Amino acid sequence: MKKFLGLLTLVGIVVVSQAQDPNFSQFFASPLTLNPASTGKFDGIFRVAGNYRNQWPSINNAFVTKTASADFHLLKGYLSDIDRWGIGGLFMSDQNGNGAITTNQFSLSTAYHKGLDEDGYHQIGVGFQGSYTNKRLDVYKLDFEDELTALGFTGTTSEIFPQSNLQVSYMDINAGVLYNGSTNGYNNFYLGASMYHINRPKETFQGGQFYLNSRTTIMGGGRLPTNQYNAFHFSANYSFQANANNLMFGGAYALNLNYDEENPVNVYMGAWARFNNVTDALIPYIGLEFGDVHFGATYDVNISSLQPASNSRGGLELSLIYIKKPVDRSLKKLNCPKF
């Protein structure tokens, strides 16, 4: 098959050669793609989360990623009030090259979080996740060398595409561990690690022996109160997969507008930075929390060598998390990571 032109070449370099999974700038707001041990790691009845990312929109919508997830607790009335067993589901859709390559993935995960002290200030959790992934190649959204004439692209190619070469499916196994703690019940810190594609599934449209590389992520962060109502949140993660590596770190200040600890209205303002094989992006962040809802928005300011092509437009990302809080406020409240 002849080489694809323009954008597809770029997509092939990033996605195939480096075999790098989709990344969220708001990794802290996408718990089930970050670490299977994050399943059920929240203080509430159930959690629903959604993420949308459009990376490098000026380069023909190079990467558009969407996720939706939900998780909740099992056997809560039968476990110790400082232990949690969570189960959750995740759907992710990722489109590369303006839809030339579409990836759909469905995952089921479970995690058990064991309390390490009677106050529930410290917990350690272990999680596992199984995924089914389907990748499809849409040849009608590609241009080939024999289509190019002096008058432009003809839209007609002599290439032949067997149906078996247009999609690939596989099962995947992921796992992780997560510790969180507090010194007084108000501050919080956490540290975890996860590994995705443990079984290294085969992923290729053309046969051969191309296996998906495992991805390892180390994550950490915390919450430091500055007074009774306000706090500084910080987080970082480092991931590596084959020859690709990714480092992100930053933080946001939460300003409580209604001076209410139980039902706060918080505005978040901050920034993160991302560095990978090349210097990548600065990422301003703004968030709003009210009731059971937490909304976040970031915009990547591209500072990498792709600046001329992207016009410094790295991409918009939105997140939405809904955590249903218990009606009975007298129930024991666990110290969980905020993000």
Side-chain angles (χ1 to χ4, degrees):
M1 184 181 292
K2 296 181 177 67
K3 293 183 179 179
F4 301 154
L5 303 177
L7 174 62
L8 189 61
T9 301
L10 171 64
V11 172
I13 291 173
V14 176
V15 177
V16 177
S17 299
Q18 295 189 358
Q20 188 175 9
D21 290 342
N23 288 293
F24 285 107
S25 294
Q26 297 178 57
F27 58 91
F28 46 81
S30 182
L32 299 193
T33 64
L34 179 64
N35 190 334
S38 296
T39 307
K41 192 58 178 172
F42 62 92
D43 192 53
I45 300 174
F46 64 86
R47 173 175 61 184
V48 178
N51 306 84
Y52 170 84
R53 176 175 178 80
N54 188 352
Q55 183 175 343
W56 301 334
S58 60
I59 314 179
N60 205 23
N61 293 317
F63 301 95
V64 178
T65 307
K66 294 169 282 188
T67 70
S69 67
D71 57 336
F72 55 93
H73 301 119
L74 295 175
L75 303 178
K76 190 171 182 180
Y78 296 90
L79 301 176
S80 166
D81 60 359
I82 59 173
D83 295 349
R84 291 292 186 271
W85 179 18
I87 189 170
L90 165 73
F91 176 76
M92 180 174 68
S93 177
D94 182 61
Q95 292 188 336
N96 300 339
N98 204 27
I101 299 178
T102 299
T103 302
N104 291 317
Q105 182 181 87
F106 179 72
S107 305
L108 290 175
S109 60
T110 185
Y112 192 87
H113 304 275
K114 177 65 178 176
L116 302 178
D117 66 303
E118 62 181 12
D119 295 318
Y121 285 177
H122 303 270
Q123 281 186 319
I124 189 166
V126 177
F128 299 91
Q129 186 178 73
S131 301
Y132 172 79
T133 300
N134 175 265
K135 288 179 177 282
R136 291 182 287 107
L137 178 64
D138 188 347
V139 296
Y140 296 104
K141 294 185 178 181
L142 304 177
D143 293 320
F144 300 90
E145 289 176 321
D146 62 351
E147 295 181 48
L148 183 60
T149 69
L151 300 178
F153 287 96
T154 64
T156 303
T157 179
S158 60
E159 298 288 345
I160 299 175
F161 301 93
Q163 189 64 34
S164 60
N165 288 349
L166 298 183
Q167 65 175 329
V168 59
S169 300
Y170 54 84
M171 299 296 296
D172 215 350
I173 299 175
N174 316 309
V177 61
L178 178 65
Y179 163 79
N180 81 284
S182 175
T183 60
N184 55 17
Y186 293 96
N187 60 20
N188 179 270
F189 47 90
Y190 61 92
L191 180 67
S194 61
M195 179 174 285
Y196 284 71
H197 320 305
I198 294 175
N199 57 322
R200 295 201 62 195
K202 188 176 181 179
E203 183 184 69
T204 176
F205 291 108
Q206 295 296 313
Q209 300 298 314
F210 181 83
Y211 294 92
L212 189 59
N213 290 288
S214 298
R215 169 170 59 91
T216 300
T217 299
I218 301 171
M219 53 182 282
R223 175 184 183 272
L224 297 176
T226 57
N227 55 40
Q228 181 179 353
Y229 301 103
N230 306 325
F232 177 70
H233 298 259
F234 61 95
S235 58
N237 80 47
Y238 174 74
S239 63
F240 53 92
Q241 185 177 15
N243 295 323
N245 58 75
N246 194 63
L247 172 65
M248 293 191 63
F249 59 88
Y253 189 75
L255 180 65
N256 188 305
L257 300 182
N258 63 343
Y259 301 101
D260 189 333
E261 292 183 83
E262 293 298 325
N263 295 287
V265 176
N266 289 326
V267 171
Y268 294 79
M269 293 175 287
W272 272 257
R274 179 172 56 243
F275 300 89
N276 41 45
N277 299 74
V278 295
T279 302
D280 195 353
L282 298 176
I283 309 164
Y285 169 81
I286 185 169
L288 177 63
E289 178 184 20
F290 58 94
D292 299 339
V293 177
H294 190 148
F295 171 79
T298 54
Y299 191 85
D300 293 12
V301 180
N302 189 0
I303 57 175
S304 73
S305 56
L306 276 173
Q307 275 184 309
S310 67
N311 295 320
S312 297
R313 295 170 57 193
L316 171 70
E317 186 174 314
L318 304 174
S319 69
L320 183 66
I321 295 180
Y322 175 84
I323 298 178
K324 177 61 178 176
K325 298 177 182 177
V327 176
D328 187 359
R329 294 293 183 176
S330 64
L331 296 176
K332 186 176 182 65
K333 184 176 181 180
L334 287 183
N335 190 59
C336 295
K338 188 67 173 181
F339 291 117

